[in-house]
Amino acid sequence: MYLADMFARYLLVPIVLFTLVGLYLSWEVSADYSWLIIVGVMLAATIHVFSPQINWWWYIRHPKDLDPAMQAFLERFDLYYQQLGPIAKTRFRHRIDLFLLGNEFMPQGWDSVPEDIQVLIASAGVKVRLEEENLLYSNCEKIVVYPMAFPTPIHPHEWHSSEWFAEDGVVLFAADALMKGMMNPTKHLDLAIYEYCRIQDALTGSVTHSSDADPWPEILVRTGWDQLAVQGMVGIRAVDGHAVLKAISFQPLLEVNSGSKV
C-alpha cells in the first residue's frame, strides 16, 4: 500500500550513488577502485533482502497516519472508532497503518484489494489486539480478498464469505460481506473481527473446548441471531460460536439494541 515511500528505498539512494562512483572511478581512473562496486552491490542486496525488517523498525519508531480519505472513512462508518477520544483515534490509525505494512493483501477475482477494504480488515485486526504491544498475528499474515462469496478446497460446496486456513496462515474474506458488517452492524456479523478472534484464540492458546458452555443462547439474547442465521452470514455450517460471542462485543449497536452489556 505504501511501497512508494518505504524507508528502505530511501536507504538505497546513497548506496546506488556510492556504487556509481565506484563504477566511474574503476573505469576512468583505476581498476583498483572496483572494490567500491562490490561493496555497493553487497550493501544494496542486504537492504533489499532485509527491507521488511528495516521498514518495520523505522515505522514502529516513526508511525504514519492514514490519508485523509481513509480517516474520513473510519469516522463515517466505524462505530468503534467513533467512540474513541482524539489521542486514542490517532493511536488506532497508526496501528492500522502498521498492520497494513506488516500483512500481505492478495486479491482474488480482481486486480487489487480496494484501499477501504484493506483499512476495514486492518481495523478489525487492530481492535482484537488493541492492548497488545505486538499488533501482528504471527500465525496469520496473509489476507486473501474476493469480491464476493467463494468456495475453497476445505469447503468446496459452500460458497462462503470468510475462512481462516490455519495450516498456511491465511485468512480469506469476501469484500461485499465485510461491507455489510460495517454498514449494517445490527443485521450482519463483522466477519473480519470474527476471524481475527479465532486467530487470536489460536495464537494465545485460548481455543475453547467443546466442554465449555454453549454460547448460542447468549448470542441470541444479545443480537437476536440464532445459529442458523450466523451460519448464513458466514456461509458455512462450521461456525465458532465462542468467537462470534467475542466478536459482537466490538459492534456497539448490538449492545445498544439488545439492551444488555457485553
Side-chain angles (χ1 to χ4, degrees):
M1 186 174 177
Y2 300 109
L3 291 178
D5 57 357
M6 289 293 189
F7 176 68
R9 293 198 173 195
Y10 294 122
L11 292 181
L12 284 174
V13 174
I15 302 302
V16 171
L17 292 176
F18 178 86
T19 306
L20 291 175
V21 169
L23 181 62
Y24 172 81
L25 292 176
S26 63
W27 182 268
E28 295 290 339
V29 181
S30 172
D32 292 340
Y33 290 100
S34 59
W35 67 270
L36 296 174
I37 302 174
I38 298 173
V39 171
V41 170
M42 292 178 63
L43 289 173
T46 301
I47 291 174
H48 176 74
V49 171
F50 292 100
S51 59
Q53 292 84 353
I54 293 171
N55 288 325
W56 187 256
W57 173 87
W58 175 260
Y59 287 118
I60 278 286
R61 289 157 180 78
H62 304 85
K64 293 169 69 273
D65 209 337
L66 298 176
D67 63 59
M70 289 301 99
Q71 292 186 39
F73 173 76
L74 290 174
E75 195 66 62
R76 181 178 180 185
F77 296 112
D78 195 318
L79 298 175
Y80 182 94
Y81 176 80
Q82 293 170 11
Q83 296 181 353
L84 300 176
I87 296 176
K89 283 183 176 179
T90 299
R91 179 174 180 265
F92 188 80
R93 294 195 306 269
H94 287 170
R95 289 175 73 86
I96 286 178
D97 188 86
L98 287 169
F99 187 95
L100 294 171
L101 176 64
N103 288 271
E104 180 182 0
F105 285 82
M106 299 179 289
Q108 287 290 334
W110 48 8
D111 294 332
S112 62
V113 180
E115 187 176 8
D116 56 351
I117 297 298
Q118 291 190 40
V119 169
L120 189 160
I121 295 170
S123 172
V126 168
K127 289 169 189 173
V128 176
R129 287 181 66 83
L130 192 60
E131 302 306 319
E132 302 276 354
E133 182 177 353
N134 181 5
L135 62 89
L136 297 182
Y137 299 79
S138 60
N139 58 343
C140 185
E141 295 183 357
K142 295 181 180 179
I143 303 165
V144 175
V145 184
Y146 294 79
M148 297 179 290
F150 51 86
T152 61
I154 297 179
H155 303 284
H157 305 299
E158 295 177 300
W159 286 70
H160 49 293
S161 297
S162 73
E163 181 182 342
W164 173 45
F165 191 54
E167 286 78 4
D168 287 345
V170 179
V171 63
L172 304 91
F173 296 112
D176 63 338
L178 292 178
M179 292 303 295
K180 288 178 184 178
M182 175 167 278
M183 301 295 185
N184 298 294
T186 62
K187 297 180 180 180
H188 202 283
L189 178 66
D190 188 320
L191 296 181
I193 290 180
Y194 162 69
E195 294 295 354
Y196 277 114
C197 284
R198 297 179 64 212
I199 295 166
Q200 173 71 356
D201 283 347
L203 186 61
T204 59
S206 58
V207 177
T208 309
H209 300 289
S210 58
S211 60
D212 292 337
D214 182 3
W216 291 107
E218 187 173 355
I219 293 170
L220 182 63
V221 169
R222 295 189 183 191
T223 67
W225 305 336
D226 60 16
Q227 185 172 0
L228 186 61
V230 176
Q231 288 173 337
M233 297 174 192
V234 181
I236 54 178
R237 291 184 295 274
V239 175
D240 184 342
H242 297 280
V244 172
L245 191 58
K246 291 180 181 180
I248 62 178
S249 67
F250 295 96
Q251 295 182 251
L253 280 183
L254 290 177
E255 182 178 337
V256 172
N257 282 271
S258 68
S260 63
K261 275 197 171 182
V262 177

